[in-house]
Every structure is written in structure tokens, then in C-alpha cells.
Amino acid sequence: MMTLAHISDIHLSPLPRPSLKDLASKRITGWLNWQLSRARMMRRDTLSALIAHLKSHQPDMTAVTGDLVNLALDEETARAANWLSALGKPETVCAIPGNHDAYVSGALPVALSAYGPYMSGETLDENPFPYVRRFGQVALVGLSSAVATLPFVAAGRLGREQIARCARILKLLGDAGYFRVVMIHHPPNHELARSRRLGLWDGPDFRTALKENGAELVLHGHTHLSSINSIPGADNEIPVIGVAAASSAPEGHDAPGRYNLFRIERVGKQWSCMMREYGYQRIGDEIALRLQMRIY
């Protein structure tokens, strides 16, 4: 049996003071958005209490599906690396980047260097993604849909080569009998793409790879909403689970901070996966069990 926790969209606060040089880019729009709304919505105390609650369950692995920072400032990235180390050791925490981690050109390599073993694992070749983390017969496959985009665009892209590597990995793991958990920041569902400005640009190609090779579970963030969907797999529908932003304050937000906990175990020749969602209500500061269901 394995207990897997899932959190996403950390958006660490407070935001460091950017220089004028920092703001001479797409960061100016993100900085204005932070000043006007996100500074009130993304709170460090909300995040800290949620993480303390998560840790009380002592999960075997915690998956973080992107957006650790806001403007990808160097100081933010350094803080996020420290935050990951406080969350747990690399053996028990794996993360992937989101669009905010690659907010401007050149930011993603800096982030990958800072996060090091938290965003790495077994790979097919010298390319860092997809990487694989194995825990018993459960395998987590970490993808990167993080790309630098123009102002007001928060879309993602995997790229043809990464999708091909992912397809091969899923086939190998499936043939070996692993329970395959795919981690991606942008949701792969057609109905969650929302628009070309926000969605996964090569979502159709990625869905084809999943349909042909299969997976048991897909975890994502990006929408700042909790969601349960599915997409066609090789043999069965693949559950696609999104989670609300971990730092979203309870007051004035439709989906305040939450995390999911999955209990994955093999029963005879079949896999079973139970999901529990914990998080804040829209009123008050209590963290409660909001949902419990079998998803696989």
C-alpha cells in the first residue's frame, strides 16, 4: 500500500520586491495582478496550516504539481527551494514546474537547478522530463508543461518529443504491472482547456498518448479548482484529478486551499485507489475532510 498526497499552485508569499529591471518584462502584468488581488488571496498562513495538516497523515510521497512561485524572481525560487526542503526530503517529495515557474525566458533552467532532486528521477535519456519515481509497484511520472509565454497567456506545452518519451515510459511501466500516476501542471481534459490562452496547447496529442498506452491516474493543478474528470485510456477511463491552490485563503475564494490524499493498494490482481480531499471551507479557518470516494 502507498499513501500519496497531492498539492499544487503554492504561489509562495509574500512577494519579494522586484527591481525595475525585473519589471521590464511580462513580470509587470503579474506584479500588478499580485498587488490588485492575489496578495489578498494567496496567503502564507493558509498554506502553512494546510501543510501541517497534510503532514499529520505521514504520506509516503507528496506530489507538487507546479506553480511554486509567482513571477519567477531569483529570490522567489530560492525561497521555494527552502520550502520544498521543509516539506520533506527528495525521497518523499516530487515536484514538477508550472507556468509561473517558467514565467519569463530563462527562468525554468534556474528553477530546475534550484529544486534539483525534487524535480528529477529516472529518465530515458539526458532529457529531464518525463522523470519516474517508483515506490513499490506505484510509479509517478513527472512531466513539464511549463513554457515562457507572452503577457496575459498562461498556456502550456509538452512538445512532441516529451510526449513520445512519456508514451514509451507508460508502455514500459504498464507492461511491468505498475500503477502509473502522471503528474502534469496543465489539465489534459478537453473540457478544462478553457482557451488557447490558458490551456495545454498539445493536449490532443497528449490524450492520444494516454489512450494508446494507458495510465491509472492523472494529477494536475493550474485551474485553482478541485475537479474530478476522466479521459479515455488503453483499457479503462483514466481518472483526472485537479486540486485547488494550496495557498488560497478561505475568505472570498470559491475554492480555498485543499489537498488530496490517495491510498493506493493492490487487492489480489486488481488495483484500488481511495481518494480523500481535505481543505478549508468558505467560512472559517477549519481544515476538514470534504470528500471521500473510490476513484479506481
Side-chain angles (χ1 to χ4, degrees):
M1 186 189 74
M2 176 191 188
T3 302
L4 171 66
H6 174 215
I7 56 175
S8 194
D9 296 83
I10 310 306
H11 293 292
L12 279 176
S13 62
L15 186 70
R17 180 184 291 273
S19 68
L20 291 177
K21 181 179 179 181
D22 290 329
L23 295 179
S25 65
K26 176 183 176 177
R27 287 188 175 117
I28 183 64
T29 59
W31 181 80
L32 288 171
N33 186 33
W34 181 266
Q35 298 298 323
L36 293 173
S37 64
R38 284 203 167 183
R40 298 188 303 274
M41 296 170 60
M42 303 297 178
R43 294 200 333 225
R44 189 63 178 260
D45 59 334
T46 298
L47 174 65
S48 296
L50 192 76
I51 294 303
H53 196 278
L54 182 157
K55 285 185 172 183
S56 71
H57 292 285
Q58 297 182 315
D60 297 304
M61 182 70 72
T62 299
V64 186
T65 52
D67 278 4
L68 279 74
V69 299
N70 301 284
L71 306 184
L73 299 167
D74 288 347
E75 185 176 343
E76 281 190 290
T77 301
R79 288 182 186 179
N82 290 333
W83 180 84
L84 282 172
S85 66
L87 181 61
K89 296 180 179 180
E91 294 79 13
T92 61
V93 177
C94 57
I96 58 170
N99 53 290
H100 280 264
D101 302 302
Y103 206 67
V104 295
S105 179
L108 185 57
V110 173
L112 295 182
S113 177
Y115 305 149
Y118 290 97
M119 284 193 185
S120 62
E122 298 175 281
T123 59
L124 287 176
D125 51 31
E126 71 280 359
N127 291 287
F129 297 100
Y131 71 78
V132 178
R133 295 283 194 92
R134 292 185 286 174
F135 187 95
Q137 282 297 106
V138 177
L140 287 88
V141 181
L143 301 171
S144 174
S145 58
V147 291
T149 57
L150 296 173
F152 307 109
V153 177
R157 180 175 56 239
L158 293 168
R160 183 180 61 185
E161 293 181 354
Q162 186 181 183
I163 292 174
R165 293 193 299 273
C166 180
R168 185 180 172 194
I169 285 172
L170 291 175
K171 178 67 166 58
L172 290 170
L173 293 172
D175 289 346
Y178 282 89
F179 187 97
R180 299 159 293 178
V181 181
V182 177
M183 301 161 52
I184 184 171
H185 182 67
H186 293 79
N189 302 63
H190 174 72
E191 62 270 25
L192 292 180
R194 295 167 66 186
S195 72
R196 183 164 176 79
R197 188 175 67 84
L198 299 171
L200 183 64
W201 282 335
D202 44 11
D205 293 335
F206 181 49
R207 290 194 296 272
T208 296
L210 290 173
K211 184 175 182 179
E212 292 177 348
N213 298 279
E216 281 62 57
L217 179 61
V218 175
L219 304 179
H220 71 83
H222 189 55
T223 64
H224 291 199
L225 298 171
S226 296
S227 59
I228 301 174
N229 291 277
S230 65
I231 55 178
D235 301 308
N236 303 292
E237 291 287 303
I238 303 171
V240 178
I241 310 297
V243 68
S247 59
S248 291
E251 301 85 11
H253 201 285
D254 290 338
R258 294 167 189 167
Y259 71 89
N260 291 327
L261 207 62
F262 301 92
R263 175 175 171 152
I264 304 168
E265 60 184 329
R266 192 156 201 149
V267 181
K269 295 183 178 180
Q270 302 296 320
W271 285 104
S272 172
C273 181
M274 294 293 299
M275 170 186 159
R276 286 175 286 165
E277 181 193 63
Y278 292 91
Y280 294 93
Q281 310 297 327
R282 295 184 185 179
I283 300 176
D285 57 3
E286 180 183 356
I287 299 173
L289 174 63
R290 297 178 45 84
L291 174 70
Q292 180 171 286
M293 64 180 295
R294 179 174 177 174
I295 63 169
Y296 196 91

